């Protein structure tokens, strides 16, 4: 089985290469923002607030973005989001270059990036089926896309750690600004067969309702989205406290913080490569369940890791679990949602994933002030394990109900 088989599609290959460079810049900026805010303020709550601002638009705007993407040319939307993201990165870079250390401005620009991402992520995911035309290769493309994202998660923070200690935060932001040049060049080289979209017969608000009815009416889709919502709200935000672990608990610096991000990225790449080798999506729910359990346990153990190498090992395990959990849910939605509802179904995935993390970041910031960072991370891991157990019980009950109805139908004959 060819792990890179989806790269035979020219459009996806261009997308893959362009995004690979851009995402390294994105992770450089993300690392630099977190480090800068904590260096200037020393506040776990403000760390959570910055994360909240960058992700909360996904909660509010994702369903609207899904309907917009289903109604308009996805390629044009993607070009617009990349250009505006480039301008946002440039604004941050010049602000820091001129030594304007303004926390409200940083939060405001993070909010702008969150608004852009609400449309950008939904568009990129919905375009997968246009770039990879064979449905059998779509799971491989999603896994490769996740691999690309998480290799950038290793390289970006690692480069940021060096750049931060050598040149300062503004150099990371300039790096992100220039990283958008290759992705835009690759987008302009793509040749997508974009057909004219029919004039919408329904208002966008009616389409929003149709999307919600479709997702909530499918028990498999809705249960996976609920599972992801719980994880994004109560487990994934543990990462918000990693600057505190690096600086205060393990007495490190910016490089130490970058090790935590890179460790999680390494685990994610391992997980993504495994998913790319799967021949079918037949056992995708089982893989998701095991991944969720691994994720919860590793977060719980990370909370009280005594030594830095042990903490980095558990951080790697969190990357394995979290990536497999989110990617398998994404793959299920991409391969099972009907084409006319795909972008709207994906938008609920984005809302559950990106939209809940900001609220969770505020919660863990508050929890860290009450229980300390170690206690807060441990609690999040326990919630992850318990939610996995509840999901397993629900699926068993669902399977039992299905078997009961089959037996009843056979008896009626």
């Amino acid at each position: 089985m060819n792990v890179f088989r989806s790269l035979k599609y020219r459009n996806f290959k261009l997308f893959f290469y362009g995004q690979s460079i851009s995402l390294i810049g994105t992770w450089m900026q993300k690392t630099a923002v977190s480090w800068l805010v904590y260096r200037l303020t020393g506040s776990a709550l403000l760390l959570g607030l910055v994360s909240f601002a960058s992700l909360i638009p996904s909660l509010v705007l994702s369903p609207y973005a899904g309907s917009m993407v289903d109604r308009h040319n996805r390629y044009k939307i993607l070009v617009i989001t990349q250009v505006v993201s480039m301008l946002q990165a440039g604004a941050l870079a010049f602000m820091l270059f001129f030594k304007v250390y303004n926390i409200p401005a940083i939060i405001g620009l993070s909010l702008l990036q969150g608004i852009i991402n609400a449309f950008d992520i939904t568009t990129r995911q919905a375009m997968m089926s246009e770039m990879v035309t064979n449905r059998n290769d779509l799971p491989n493309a999603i896994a490769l896309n996740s691999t690309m994202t998480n290799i950038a998660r290793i390289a970006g923070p690692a480069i940021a750690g060096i750049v931060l200690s050598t040149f300062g935060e503004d150099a990371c932001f300039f790096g992100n600004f220039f990283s958008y040049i290759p992705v835009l060049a690759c987008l302009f080289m793509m040749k997508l067969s974009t057909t004219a979209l029919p004039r919408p017969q329904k208002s966008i608000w009616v389409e929003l309702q149709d999307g919600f009815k479709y997702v909530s009416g499918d028990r498999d889709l809705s249960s996976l989205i609920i599972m992801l919502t719980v994880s994004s709200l109560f487990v994934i935000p543990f990462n918000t406290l990693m600057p505190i672990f690096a600086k205060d608990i393990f007495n490190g610096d910016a490089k130490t913080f970058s090790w935590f991000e890179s460790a999680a990225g390494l685990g994610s790449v391992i997980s993504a490569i495994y998913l790319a080798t799967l021949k079918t999506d037949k056992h995708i729910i089982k893989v998701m369940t095991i991944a969720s359990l691994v994720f919860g346990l590793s977060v719980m153990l990370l909370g009280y890791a005594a030594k830095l190498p042990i903490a980095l090992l558990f951080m790697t395990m969190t990357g394995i679990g979290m990536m497999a959990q989110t990617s398998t849910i994404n793959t299920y939605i991409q391969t099972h949602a009907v084409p006319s509802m795909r972008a709207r179904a994906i938008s609920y995935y984005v809302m559950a994933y990106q939209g809940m993390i900001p609220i969770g970041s505020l919660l863990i910031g508050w929890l860290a002030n009450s229980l300390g960072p170690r206690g807060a991370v441990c609690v999040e891991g326990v919630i992850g394990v318990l939610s996995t157990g509840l999901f397993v019980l629900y699926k068993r009950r669902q399977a039992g109900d299905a078997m009961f109805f089959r037996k009843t139908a056979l008896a009626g004959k």
Side-chain angles (χ1 to χ4, degrees), residues 208-258:
L208 281 171
Q209 293 174 11
D210 290 344
F212 178 77
K213 288 176 183 176
Y214 173 71
V215 171
S216 60
D218 188 309
R219 294 177 69 181
D220 290 324
L221 274 179
S222 58
S223 64
L224 287 173
I225 288 175
I226 290 171
M227 180 68 183
L228 183 59
T229 300
V230 172
S231 185
S232 299
L233 186 61
F234 296 114
V235 191
I236 294 175
F238 85 94
N239 198 46
T240 303
L241 301 183
M242 289 307 101
I244 300 173
F245 271 63
K247 186 173 186 293
D248 296 341
I249 294 177
F250 293 107
N251 301 312
D253 54 16
K255 287 184 181 178
T256 312
F257 173 46
S258 73

Side-chain angles (χ1 to χ4, degrees), residues 15-31:
F15 173 83
F16 183 87
Y17 291 149
Q19 288 289 329
S20 296
I21 298 171
S22 178
L23 286 171
I24 291 174
T26 298
W27 275 100
M28 286 177 63
Q29 176 170 300
K30 177 180 170 61
T31 304

Side-chain angles (χ1 to χ4, degrees), residues 4-258:
F4 302 101
R5 63 186 183 275
S6 53
L7 291 180
K8 67 186 177 184
Y9 301 94
R10 182 178 184 274
N11 290 322
F12 179 71
K13 182 165 63 176
L14 286 168
F15 173 83
F16 183 87
Y17 291 149
Q19 288 289 329
S20 296
I21 298 171
S22 178
L23 286 171
I24 291 174
T26 298
W27 275 100
M28 286 177 63
Q29 176 170 300
K30 177 180 170 61
T31 304
V33 167
S34 295
W35 183 257
L36 175 67
V37 169
Y38 192 64
R39 179 177 68 82
L40 293 176
T41 67
S43 170
L45 192 60
L46 276 175
L47 267 179
L49 184 59
V50 170
S51 181
F52 177 87
S54 66
L55 294 172
I56 191 62
S58 293
L59 176 63
V60 180
L61 296 176
S62 286
Y64 176 80
S67 295
M68 286 288 293
V69 170
D70 274 336
R71 293 160 64 99
H72 295 90
N73 187 307
R74 294 167 183 174
Y75 173 79
K76 290 181 179 179
I77 294 174
L78 188 59
V79 170
I80 292 169
T81 59
Q82 296 300 300
V83 170
V84 180
S85 292
M86 185 179 185
L87 295 175
Q88 185 268 356
L92 263 175
F94 281 104
M95 187 176 76
L96 270 294
F97 180 77
F98 291 110
K99 309 298 181 186
V100 181
Y101 298 117
N102 188 312
I103 298 298
I106 293 172
I107 294 173
L109 286 169
S110 296
L111 179 65
L112 174 61
Q113 186 61 57
I115 293 171
I116 299 165
N117 284 342
F119 292 87
D120 179 71
I121 295 171
T122 301
T123 305
R124 279 192 281 123
Q125 295 294 336
M127 274 183 63
M128 283 287 186
S129 59
E130 295 178 16
M131 293 184 289
V132 179
T133 53
N134 188 331
R135 183 182 182 276
N136 292 329
D137 290 330
L138 191 56
N140 176 261
I142 294 169
L144 281 184
N145 186 54
S146 298
T147 305
M148 167 187 68
T149 301
N150 289 291
I151 287 175
R153 189 177 180 181
I154 298 172
I159 295 170
I162 297 170
V163 174
L164 282 170
S165 58
T166 307
F167 302 105
E169 293 93 352
D170 55 338
C172 288
F173 298 143
F174 274 114
N176 186 37
F177 173 77
F178 289 116
S179 74
Y180 283 100
I181 295 175
V183 73
L184 285 169
C186 287
L187 282 174
F188 292 138
M189 291 168 64
M190 290 170 67
K191 295 178 181 178
L192 287 170
S193 56
T194 53
T195 56
L197 296 173
R199 185 178 180 85
Q201 300 299 314
K202 300 178 181 178
S203 73
I204 196 165
W205 303 112
V206 173
E207 291 190 346
L208 281 171
Q209 293 174 11
D210 290 344
F212 178 77
K213 288 176 183 176
Y214 173 71
V215 171
S216 60
D218 188 309
R219 294 177 69 181
D220 290 324
L221 274 179
S222 58
S223 64
L224 287 173
I225 288 175
I226 290 171
M227 180 68 183
L228 183 59
T229 300
V230 172
S231 185
S232 299
L233 186 61
F234 296 114
V235 191
I236 294 175
F238 85 94
N239 198 46
T240 303
L241 301 183
M242 289 307 101
I244 300 173
F245 271 63
K247 186 173 186 293
D248 296 341
I249 294 177
F250 293 107
N251 301 312
D253 54 16
K255 287 184 181 178
T256 312
F257 173 46
S258 73

